[in-house]
Amino acid sequence: MCVAPDSPSRLLRCAHQSRCRECGNHIAWYRRVDDRFVRLHPHELSVADVPVGYHWHVSASLVHHAGDGSPWCRLAHGVVRPARAVDATNAPELTGLRLVLMVNTCRLTEAGVFTPNAPTHTTQQPDDACRPARPVLQLLYVRYLAARPVDEIQCVAQTLHRDLCTHTVLTWDGLAGLWKLVTATSARRQLVLSVDAMALYDLPCLPYAEQLRWHRQRCPQHAAALTAADLALTDWARFDPLIHQGHAHPRLRAHIRRPHDGGDPRKAAQR
């Protein structure tokens, strides 16, 4: 077990409890052997009810994608997440659990505890064609791959009511970055990339304090609250052109409204 030294709440890094942002159900964060994190269903399941390829188990505070010989196993939350379109024929044994989570999502939505995200459509409109679902950001001169659009990146701080903050990092009246078209190069120089250029949300034009706030993934209110603990993990992943080249978008919108032109920074970030 490892305790985060910078967390006032002294939360354990292993089995960090939170809620899924896509469906509102409880999840548990575990660290993998490759130092990455995975979201697991918070309860153990019988190995007879879970297909062999979906088994996870925890050993020495780390989670492993395999069985350990015990009659119980863990399950990745993404397999049964109601917000994900999954072919039921791939794992028919998990259909019942997925329906239970779907019903719980409906109950949370009706009670006002959880607000589902707007449904995404496979056919995008021309105006949204260059709004990547997982944009690339340049932050503190390092390129990161975000888990959601720029204007939807949520603060990870804990509120006074011990809930996850609902504010976004990008604010209506705050400073915003600029979209740029940069060269998509590979540091390894081993493979030829599918694109020569990619759209990038550039933040080094902002003051250092603002870039640090983005890196910590906090809204302005919780950026100043040093005693507020993080209730979720940040969404940043180091961008690798070879691994993430599918998220490299090769063009920008023809016209981008800048915040100083009277436009909303949220709308400018969407373009």
Side-chain angles (χ1 to χ4, degrees), residues 130-238:
C130 56
R131 182 178 183 252
R134 298 194 62 184
V136 180
L137 289 81
Q138 183 155 304
L139 179 62
L140 298 174
Y141 296 100
V142 179
R143 294 181 181 179
Y144 293 96
L145 180 67
R148 61 194 69 247
V150 174
D151 59 315
E152 296 181 7
I153 299 176
Q154 188 176 355
C155 177
V156 298
Q158 178 180 262
T159 64
L160 296 178
H161 299 286
R162 298 187 178 275
D163 297 326
L164 184 65
C165 178
T166 58
H167 296 137
T168 56
V169 179
L170 183 66
T171 58
W172 292 85
D173 54 352
L175 300 175
L178 299 175
W179 281 102
K180 293 183 178 180
L181 198 63
V182 299
T183 304
T185 58
S186 171
R188 303 177 188 177
R189 302 183 182 276
Q190 295 177 348
L191 297 176
V192 178
L193 300 181
S194 58
V195 294
D196 297 329
M198 67 176 184
L200 180 144
Y201 192 67
D202 191 52
L203 290 167
C205 59
L206 303 183
Y208 174 77
E210 277 292 296
Q211 296 186 59
L212 194 61
R213 180 178 71 84
W214 276 80
H215 188 265
R216 296 180 61 195
Q217 199 172 324
R218 290 198 170 206
C219 63
Q221 178 181 355
H222 286 108
L226 301 179
T227 58
D230 289 345
L231 199 59
L233 299 173
T234 58
D235 294 330
W236 311 124
R238 290 289 292 269

Side-chain angles (χ1 to χ4, degrees), residues 247-266:
H247 299 286
H249 294 261
R251 70 181 184 89
L252 292 172
R253 186 168 298 208
H255 174 67
I256 300 177
R257 295 183 62 190
R258 308 298 184 187
H260 57 264
D261 293 333
D264 181 4
R266 291 175 179 264

Side-chain angles (χ1 to χ4, degrees), residues 45 61 81 89 104 106 135 155 194 246:
L45 302 174
S61 300
R81 188 178 69 231
T89 59
N104 189 49
C106 295
C155 177
S194 58

Side-chain angles (χ1 to χ4, degrees), residues 3-111:
V3 177
D6 56 348
S7 175
S9 62
R10 313 302 295 172
L11 295 176
L12 292 175
R13 292 185 183 273
C14 178
H16 180 109
Q17 297 287 334
S18 63
R19 286 186 180 273
C20 177
R21 295 180 178 179
E22 285 78 17
C23 66
N25 289 289
H26 286 285
I27 56 175
W29 288 96
Y30 280 89
R31 187 185 295 272
R32 300 189 347 176
V33 293
D34 56 359
D35 207 31
R36 297 172 59 188
F37 285 87
V38 61
R39 299 183 300 175
L40 296 184
H41 185 66
H43 306 294
E44 290 185 331
L45 302 174
S46 174
V47 295
D49 300 331
V50 180
V52 178
Y54 297 93
H55 290 182
W56 291 80
H57 80 276
V58 180
S59 177
S61 300
L62 297 176
V63 63
H64 305 264
H65 193 196
D68 58 351
S70 66
W72 305 96
C73 68
R74 305 301 297 268
L75 177 67
H77 174 71
V79 179
V80 292
R81 188 178 69 231
R84 177 184 177 184
V86 180
D87 187 1
T89 59
N90 293 335
E93 301 92 336
L94 303 176
T95 303
L97 178 58
R98 190 163 183 261
L99 291 176
V100 171
L101 296 180
M102 186 180 299
V103 171
N104 189 49
T105 299
C106 295
R107 291 175 178 173
L108 294 174
T109 304
E110 293 176 356

